[in-house]
Amino acid sequence: MKEIVIISGKGGTGKTSITASFAYLSGENTVLADCDVDASDLHLLLKPETISEEDFLSSYLAVIDYNKCRDCGKCFEVCRFKAVSFDNEKFVINSQNCEGCGYCANICPAKAISLKIQNDGKLYISKTRLNKTFFHAELGPGAENSGKLVAKVKKNAKKYARENNLEIMLVDGSPGIGCPVISSLSGANYVVLVTEPTVSGSHDLKRVIELVQKFKIKMGCIINKADINTALADEIKTFLKDQNIELLAELPCDDVFTEAMIAEKTVAEVSSEMSGKLSQAWNEIINSIRG
Amino acid sequence: MKIAFTTKGEGWDAVIDPRFGRTEFLVILDEESGKLEAIDNSSVSEHAHGAGPMTAQLIIEKDVQILVTGNGPGGNAERVISTAGIKTFTGAGDMTVKQAYEAYKENRLIS
Amino acid sequence: MKIAIASGKGGTGKTFLSTNWAAYMSETTPTVLVDLDVEEPNSGLFIKGDLLYSETAYKQVPDWQKTNCSMCGKCQSVCNYHAVLKVKDAILVFPELCHSCYACSELCPTDSLPMKKNRIGVISHYKFNKLDYVEGRLDIGQEQAVPLISQTNDFPAKHLQNVISICDCPPGTACPAIESVKDADLVILTTEPTPFGLHDLKLMVKSLVILKKKFAVVVNKWGVGNEDVLKYCGSMNIAVIAKIQNDRRIAEEYSKGNLVYNKFDFVRSELDKINNYILNSGESK
């Protein structure tokens, strides 16, 4: 089983639209995973039907048992996150600020504070209109631990791929360079970088390449909206060559990306030009991982 | 000596996992008895943070003295491993446990 | 007054709006642009100012002192983040995992874990014509953005008086974004009139409602896609205070790192609408 992960560094480069197109172009023996859990959009193009769902229990919150609480205020004294306040003659925990460090629970002389695990989101297993199984999730608002949720999505998808002898796991990764991206990359066999020829795009591309190089994973790059700034696109191409990164495709800036979104279809289904370029890119990726 | 291998499966034919902290399995060989013990590490790999040190603590608990892996442990795990006096050998990338053990004995791995 | 510019989806124009609006506003009103997207601070690509001041940002982490340590292991048992480990005859601290709760330090029976400063990044202050620009930049390898976001956010109040703060926030709805909008008087959400833009806008709206923040919407790339975003905002009574027309010329200027408000009248007139909204909504203090 080989894992292909698609990331972008900067948001808004077309990563999810391109992942969806690859999902359409890939053969039957593919499982799909959406690891962009903070704001997952892949499902909007795949029309999944939920097969099962589970709660994502992750962070901890301090909870005071008022039957035991003696109002001594020790919790208030030790909390570094301004999560304990005195309100209405009681000490109360502010759930927005509580980091779940457990200090208050540790020192409460009445043992009135415990840490309760929180439901921070949901994990789904679905079947898409492309007849492929799809693992995705949504993080609750304000939640942390997106890296952990990403790891769970991947673990579930990997298990399914193994059990069903599927050759490819296609992963829509997270934007940025933080924990969720690192979590998306863990175990990948090939990374597709989607970028745009803008100063922000180029700046973030370099940072994300540095990250992937630490993991020693093979990379290929798609330059989207390439005609917005051909000079910068050329600079990026030179940089890719120096870093030994395959240029998989150059796509023109085209409203068809939005039209496809509105039609709830992938770009490859709606535009023959894009389909041609993305098919070529996909074939190069497959040859790379099989070869 | 007890030797730990990071692997994608259990047993002598299991392929080495290049990662340490988030390795899927650990296979521990007791050279004296010749027995293999496989540990499923998937619960550690689900952690967003601190996976490396956690896996390191696991092999310390098992009295492992040698670690054989692909790319090598990351910075945090490396601190724990070297503090515990465990020696790491890398470069076993695509090998099976059997092949990796032979390579270790024949000094073909990187230390 | 503090205004945060945020969004659910990346690439909808937070930095585009905050840099152009802040530069425009600074022509007539003392303004500071604060870049709180500390993992990827990009505003400096467009606001090319002179560096006035720079300071290293720290968080407090425990520092093991061997001398009196009894190796009781209490530190490891009270740490919820796996940041303190007892290994053989040493206590190892992992600063990136530490959340600075002080539990191990204060509960250590022998005072062997005093808290010490640990570098997390840099806060810099630039001047670009009349605009003050403050940026937080997280060191690569640091995992937690929140402590630096919090410190960068506090910087203007300590060093600048009587300014309007416009904060460029990190994308998404997770804790870095939440931290950056926490004390804003108004949150402006940027979006694009596409299905992805609308979907992610709804997620962000949910978060802001929970936080009880005042917010309004600015639509970028108006003209691509459809009007579903307007219909949604209408149905939820959310003010759409400006719509910036999709124009390839803007994309081209942006790609080069140029500001556009001084080049296109239609951009300036949309920024004027935002200014009017701020004045009329009674937010000015």
Side-chain angles (χ1 to χ4, degrees), chain C residues 202 205-206 209 215 229-239:
Chain C
K202 288 179 183 171
V205 164
K206 230 197 254 181
V209 166
F215 61 93
V229 159
L230 290 189
K231 290 190 195 130
Y232 165 74
C233 290
S235 69
M236 298 282 290
N237 251 332
I238 299 170

Side-chain angles (χ1 to χ4, degrees), chain C residues 266-277:
Chain C
F266 70 90
V267 172
R268 242 187 346 269
S269 63
E270 292 307 306
L271 295 181
D272 283 330
K273 287 183 189 160
I274 304 175
N275 287 336
N276 288 336
Y277 177 82

Side-chain angles (χ1 to χ4, degrees), chain A residues 12 225, chain C residues 11-13 191-193 219-225 244-247:
Chain A
K225 310 179 208 176
Chain C
T12 52
T191 187
E192 55 179 48
V219 185
N220 261 320
K221 302 186 201 169
W222 178 251
V224 310
I244 301 177
Q245 193 68 27
N246 184 46
D247 192 317

Side-chain angles (χ1 to χ4, degrees), chain B residues 47 49-50 53-54 57 60 76 79-80 83-84, chain C residues 76 82 85-88 92-94 96-97 143:
Chain B
H47 281 261
H49 303 281
M54 275 189 246
Q57 279 198 309
I60 292 171
N76 289 346
R79 275 179 72 197
V80 182
T83 304
Chain C
Q76 177 174 309
H82 306 284
L85 290 187
K86 180 165 158 246
V87 180
K88 292 275 151 94
L92 297 181
V93 175
F94 297 99
E96 331 81 55
L97 304 182
E143 297 179 14

Side-chain angles (χ1 to χ4, degrees), chain A residues 127-144:
Chain A
K127 201 80 179 180
T128 64
R129 61 175 176 89
L130 302 172
N131 214 20
K132 289 165 184 142
T133 308
F134 179 41
F135 290 81
H136 52 130
E138 242 175 42
L139 198 62
E144 48 175 46

